[in-house]
Structures are given as C-alpha cells and as structure tokens.
Amino acid sequence: MTDDELPELRASDADRERVTEQLRDALAEGRLDMEEFEERLEATYKARTYGELAPITRDLPGPAAAAPISMVKQPVESGSWAGRIVGGEGSSSWAVAIMSGFERKGRWTVPRRFNSFAFWGGGEIDLREANFADREVVINCVAIMGGMNVVVPPGVEVVVRGIGIMGGFDHREEGQPGEPGAPRVIVTGFAFWGGVGVERKLTRAERLRIKEERRQEKLERKAARKELQGSGSDSNGLGEMFDALDEARDLIRERHEDRRERHEERRERHRERREERHRRRNGGY
C-alpha cells in the first residue's frame, strides 16, 4: 500500500517526529532557511492525517539522499524509543572544559560511558534529541571549581551516584520510573567546590506541539458548546461561563510557561557570560 492510498489515515506522534527529523536535516544542509523550517515545523505538528503530513517533505531528500520520507508504518516503529537505541560506540565519548566551556547537544549518539571534566569552567550535556548506544548509559562528570548540567527528556529513568565535597549532585529527577523501552541514564562522578545539575526538559519543538494540541482542544470544546447551545441543551450564560473558565485557565498556564522559559533563558545567558568571563580572564582559553 502506498502513501497516496492512505490520505485519511491518522498520523501518530512518531510519524510527526520522523518528519521533524527530516526537516532538521534539511535546515542543517541549507535546503531550508529558518523561516521555511519554522513554517513547516508548525505545519507538521498541526497535521492530523498522512494526507496533511506527506506534502511537507515531498520536495526534500530523505536520509542518505533517498526518496521523500514514507508515511507507511514500519515494524521497528512499534515503540517510541525503539529507533533511538542504536548501538555502536557513540559519536562522542568525552568532553573537557579548562577555564572554558563545552556543549554536547542536538542529534548525537551517547556512548555507553561518557566522561567529562571541568576545571574553572562548565559544560552542558543535553540528551533530549540524542540517540543512545545502549539501554543503559553512564554520564561521568568530574567538576573542580566548576559546574555541569545534564538535561534529559521526559520518560528517561535517571539514577544519580555522584559524590560532592563542598559541592553536590542534583538528585531531584531520581525516583521517576522510565517509560517502556526508554534508556536508563546513570549520572556519576565527583564534584569539588562545584556542582552537577540534572533536569528534565522538553525540546522547543515538543513545547510547540503541546501548545498547539491544547489550542486544538480548546477550539474543539468551544465548537461542542456551540452545538449544545444551537440544539437548546445549553444556555448562553452557561456557555459564556465555560469560555471564561477556559480563558482563565489558559492564561494561568501561559504565564507559568512564560516564567519558566524566561528563567531558563536567564540561566543560559548567565552561563554564557560566566564562560565568556573565564575566556577573557585566561587569554581566550
């Protein structure tokens, strides 16, 4: 069965994620500019069927310059994490920051053991868009008068086993069970006059998707209430009350999300300024 024969079949989150990955590749290769990427990304998360999803990448090459991405489901897609446990050795196995900083983020493969070291500096190890060499990986962090931050996606089990002397390891994300098939991330190491943070965060694309889903749900609730009002089963006053409650709830949620995003942006700017001061103080190193 071809894609053209499935225009009305409902698309899944995994299907939308596959399209999103192809769009990211096209952006990195210069096939799309940022404005086109954002427009297509928004259309991807609005799509509900294959018929709406397939045209988004029709003019783009797939992985290894293959044909545009197929919307026909493959057996390997049965689990949401199945495609991210890729085996192999990992694309990066260590990172060092001496009076400077480092980042590991975006699409990379986490090895079974990743070693990192920071002295008078800092680093960020972001696993949200990463693949994993195994179902259990170890992130070893040694921070001397410096700091590191490990960012994991929702659904991943986290275990923290680090030791801190006049410093510490963040244990807030421990205790949450992982999703079926999700990797287990063990954060270990040593911190002296420094710290290692661990936090769970959604990617920007996932936040946009969730926001759009909430907006669609709100529109569907309003449409349902209008139908009730039209049939005489609901009064105008009751419908207006529900609308007002929806607006208030959405406003509170948006304000909370805005505050959280501003807090994350301030923390990122503070980290960048701190690393820049280290570089200037030590001749650019």
Side-chain angles (χ1 to χ4, degrees), residues 104-198:
R104 293 292 184 275
K105 62 191 303 184
R107 296 184 64 192
W108 65 296
T109 301
V110 186
R112 291 175 178 82
R113 183 179 179 88
F114 182 85
N115 295 306
S116 56
F117 174 79
F119 174 72
W120 277 17
E124 181 173 8
I125 304 167
D126 192 333
L127 311 182
R128 288 177 293 175
E129 298 182 34
N131 293 325
F132 298 83
D134 204 345
R135 292 192 179 276
E136 181 173 289
V137 297
V138 176
I139 307 295
N140 183 50
C141 302
V142 178
I144 310 297
M145 293 182 287
M148 295 185 207
N149 195 43
V150 180
V151 184
V152 300
V156 169
E157 181 185 1
V158 175
V159 178
V160 180
R161 297 176 180 169
I163 299 172
I165 297 177
M166 291 185 287
F169 278 71
D170 190 348
H171 290 259
R172 288 177 298 175
E173 300 300 339
E174 280 193 302
Q176 296 188 30
E179 294 177 355
R184 186 175 189 237
V185 176
I186 300 174
V187 181
T188 186
F190 174 74
F192 176 72
W193 279 14
V196 176
V198 182

Side-chain angles (χ1 to χ4, degrees), residues 9-208:
L9 187 63
R10 299 286 289 188
S12 69
D13 287 344
D15 299 324
R16 283 184 280 270
E17 186 57 30
R18 289 163 60 207
V19 173
T20 300
E21 288 182 5
Q22 189 174 347
L23 293 176
R24 292 194 192 103
D25 290 342
L27 177 65
E29 294 165 358
R31 301 180 191 276
L32 297 176
D33 59 29
M34 184 57 70
E35 182 176 354
E36 291 172 319
F37 171 75
E38 291 178 349
E39 288 176 355
R40 296 194 189 201
L41 185 66
E42 183 178 3
T44 298
Y45 288 124
K46 286 182 178 179
R48 291 291 177 266
T49 65
Y50 283 174
E52 296 170 346
L53 204 55
I56 296 173
T57 58
R58 186 163 288 163
D59 61 343
L60 298 175
I69 193 165
S70 172
M71 291 294 104
V72 179
K73 294 186 182 299
Q74 303 297 326
V76 72
E77 298 291 337
S78 59
S80 60
W81 290 98
R84 295 180 66 175
I85 312 295
V86 297
E89 298 299 323
S91 56
S92 176
S93 60
W94 60 274
V96 174
I98 299 177
M99 295 182 287
S100 61
F102 72 80
E103 283 186 344
R104 293 292 184 275
K105 62 191 303 184
R107 296 184 64 192
W108 65 296
T109 301
V110 186
R112 291 175 178 82
R113 183 179 179 88
F114 182 85
N115 295 306
S116 56
F117 174 79
F119 174 72
W120 277 17
E124 181 173 8
I125 304 167
D126 192 333
L127 311 182
R128 288 177 293 175
E129 298 182 34
N131 293 325
F132 298 83
D134 204 345
R135 292 192 179 276
E136 181 173 289
V137 297
V138 176
I139 307 295
N140 183 50
C141 302
V142 178
I144 310 297
M145 293 182 287
M148 295 185 207
N149 195 43
V150 180
V151 184
V152 300
V156 169
E157 181 185 1
V158 175
V159 178
V160 180
R161 297 176 180 169
I163 299 172
I165 297 177
M166 291 185 287
F169 278 71
D170 190 348
H171 290 259
R172 288 177 298 175
E173 300 300 339
E174 280 193 302
Q176 296 188 30
E179 294 177 355
R184 186 175 189 237
V185 176
I186 300 174
V187 181
T188 186
F190 174 74
F192 176 72
W193 279 14
V196 176
V198 182
E199 61 179 332
R200 251 176 246 276
K201 289 170 64 176
L202 294 169
T203 63
R204 182 174 182 272
E206 288 170 333
R207 290 200 301 268
L208 289 175

Side-chain angles (χ1 to χ4, degrees), residues 218-239:
K218 179 180 175 182
L219 291 175
E220 290 170 2
R221 288 196 301 269
K222 282 188 174 182
R225 285 198 294 271
K226 285 182 180 179
E227 290 181 3
L228 288 173
Q229 291 172 10
S231 64
S233 301
D234 191 14
S235 66
N236 289 336
L238 187 58

